[in-house]
Amino acid sequence: MTIHRLNRLYELMKVHQLEALAINPGPTLSYLTGLGFHLMERPVVLLVAPPADPVLILPRLEMAKTSQARFSVQAFPYGDNPESWLEAFRLGVKAAGLDGKTVGVEPTRLRFLELQFLRDAAPRTRWVGGEDVLSALRIQKDEQEVNAMRIAVEIAQKALLETIQKVRIGMTEREVAGELTLQLLRAGSDGEFPFAPIVASGPNSANPHASPTDRKLQPGDLLVIDWGATHAGYISDLTRTFAVGDVQEEFQRIAAIVERANEAGRMAGMPGIPAGLVDAASRAVIESTGYGEFFIHRTGHGIGMEGHEPPYIFGENSLILAEGMAYTVEPGIYLPDRGGVRIEDNMVITANGSETLSSLPRQLLTIG
Ligand code: ZN
Ligand code: ZN
């Protein structure tokens, strides 16, 4: 399977006229090699420069991993003394035949640390952004990847159901987030969560990226919980909004509108249409009710090995959706200093439509 991915990468490099790629630890490196490395103070770089076999430059203590790679790599290990690292880069660059080529990198991943070694080892190389090739490589998920995401959704849903049974008026956002974190692990999430859960109550719920605080849940609050699990390297990313006790009528009204906007966005996805139409479908519902100015973010983002990856679901995105693309639909209405509602589900494009992976109720449920 991984060989197949490497061959696909070679094809994409040809199409995009990119001679080589330098990839450091992150989802793309794991996706290609099946190996997990952390970003640390010691650089790890995979050089993909056909026709040479891929080259891996890495700390000697990580060498054992290379036997698990699903295609053969030429490994260039280095020891503890940082002064010896450049030599490993020189040898690796030579083996890959990299010098003088146009080499793509992941702009949001590669650090000055790696670039400095690479530039010193390959001074005549032209460095360019390789994001077009790399996003095309990972954007359509295969069945195994979708199944991993399905399990990540199930784990997240189970954890939330356990958590909300324990939520009481007077608990702080931090306490709710702590319980949810525990329940995510209990339900089987990998320890590396896609992101720290958002638990935002009352006025805090009007901030889409709030962090849990010591604020206590009070009757009349809206409570936004945005959380996700990780399974086998794939993530889920869900949001549900709750009413704490009785809430004012306008909060109930915006919750019903967001629920309809969520449904419209979920129904819009199908192969062959621009991603922007999914955003337009959700946004039209909210705009028609006069709350358009309070929907302050794009409708969604791609998901897979990362919480944010292509396809991004915003109005101007002309990228054509295709089978296997996975993304969130997460419209919201945020009334400043009062409260907000967001409902987020995880979608995958199928052969003739789209499937919602998440199934928790979406209406405003009362807790506490
Ligand atoms: Zn989310
Ligand atoms: Zn999201």
Side-chain angles (χ1 to χ4, degrees):
M1 180 192 76
T2 313
I3 286 276
H4 160 76
R5 289 177 179 175
L6 183 64
N7 287 336
R8 215 149 46 75
L9 178 60
Y10 289 157
E11 286 304 312
L12 287 166
M13 288 167 71
K14 250 184 240 164
V15 170
H16 291 261
Q17 297 180 329
L18 192 60
E19 295 174 288
L21 279 161
I23 302 166
N24 61 322
T28 303
L29 185 62
S30 304
Y31 179 88
L32 274 174
T33 63
L35 305 179
F37 292 102
H38 283 101
L39 267 186
M40 328 170 276
E41 81 288 5
R42 284 172 293 203
V44 173
V45 179
L46 179 75
L47 302 176
V48 179
D53 273 350
V55 161
L56 191 59
I57 301 159
L58 76 174
R60 193 173 304 282
L61 80 150
E62 305 264 33
M63 266 300 276
K65 285 184 187 168
T66 58
S67 64
Q68 308 289 321
R70 303 218 195 95
F71 50 82
S72 60
V73 295
Q74 312 181 64
F76 292 88
Y78 59 76
D80 289 331
N81 180 359
E83 284 173 17
S84 69
W85 298 358
L86 180 57
E87 186 56 20
F89 275 83
R90 284 210 180 100
L91 294 171
V93 158
K94 197 164 171 228
L98 206 70
D99 201 21
K101 291 198 166 149
T102 299
V103 183
V105 302
E106 277 184 286
T108 55
R109 288 268 159 203
L110 198 86
R111 302 171 298 181
F112 186 69
L113 173 71
E114 290 88 9
L115 188 59
Q116 204 173 16
F117 279 114
L118 288 166
R119 276 202 305 222
D120 288 349
R124 295 183 304 127
T125 294
R126 201 164 75 89
W127 303 98
V128 297
E131 62 269 31
D132 290 353
V133 168
L134 295 173
S135 93
L137 176 70
R138 282 173 38 204
I139 198 166
Q140 281 175 274
K141 276 68 181 173
D142 63 26
E143 209 180 297
Q144 193 185 351
E145 294 180 280
V146 173
N147 277 334
M149 293 172 63
R150 227 182 272 285
I151 295 170
V153 166
E154 279 166 18
I155 292 169
Q157 297 197 143
K158 187 161 178 243
L160 189 79
L161 290 173
E162 293 292 332
T163 302
I164 56 177
Q165 286 181 33
K166 300 196 157 91
V167 173
R168 300 280 178 274
I169 288 170
M171 277 172 82
T172 68
E173 293 169 357
R174 263 182 222 273
E175 285 166 343
V176 176
E179 183 65 35
L180 179 54
T181 300
L182 176 72
Q183 295 298 344
L184 280 165
L185 292 170
R186 274 206 183 133
S189 175
D190 296 346
E192 227 164 290
F193 295 151
F195 54 91
I198 293 172
V199 176
S201 65
N204 296 344
S205 63
N207 171 9
H209 279 157
S211 295
T213 71
D214 290 323
R215 186 181 184 281
K216 291 181 172 153
L217 304 190
Q218 296 164 25
D221 281 352
L222 288 171
L223 172 66
V224 170
I225 302 183
D226 186 342
W227 79 110
T230 309
H231 173 76
Y234 288 80
I235 67 124
S236 53
D237 177 5
L238 306 174
T239 305
R240 289 294 183 265
T241 303
F242 299 90
V244 181
D246 289 332
V247 298
Q248 55 183 275
E249 199 267 328
E250 189 176 14
F251 287 175
Q252 295 173 28
R253 194 161 68 236
I254 62 171
I257 295 165
V258 173
E259 192 185 334
R260 279 199 287 128
N262 167 287
E263 184 174 9
R266 287 188 297 110
M267 294 304 125
M270 65 178 80
I273 65 156
L277 285 188
V278 174
D279 181 88
S282 276
R283 202 165 297 278
V285 170
I286 293 178
E287 280 176 353
S288 73
T289 63
Y291 283 100
E293 66 177 295
F294 302 106
F295 180 13
I296 52 180
H297 54 69
R298 62 194 175 192
T299 292
H301 53 82
I303 49 167
M305 300 179 86
E306 290 175 279
H308 288 236
E309 59 178 58
Y312 295 100
I313 309 298
F314 62 96
E316 298 78 19
N317 194 354
S318 57
L319 181 128
I320 300 298
L321 295 177
E323 189 174 359
M325 289 188 187
Y327 56 91
T328 67
V329 167
E330 49 180 306
I333 294 177
Y334 307 91
L335 306 178
D337 305 320
R338 294 172 62 199
V341 173
R342 179 167 65 258
I343 305 172
E344 176 175 25
D345 285 288
N346 296 169
M347 310 296 301
V348 62
I349 296 289
T350 59
N352 46 22
S354 59
E355 181 191 344
T356 306
L357 301 179
S358 33
S359 61
L360 286 178
R362 299 180 181 85
Q363 69 270 38
L364 191 66
L365 297 178
T366 302
I367 57 172

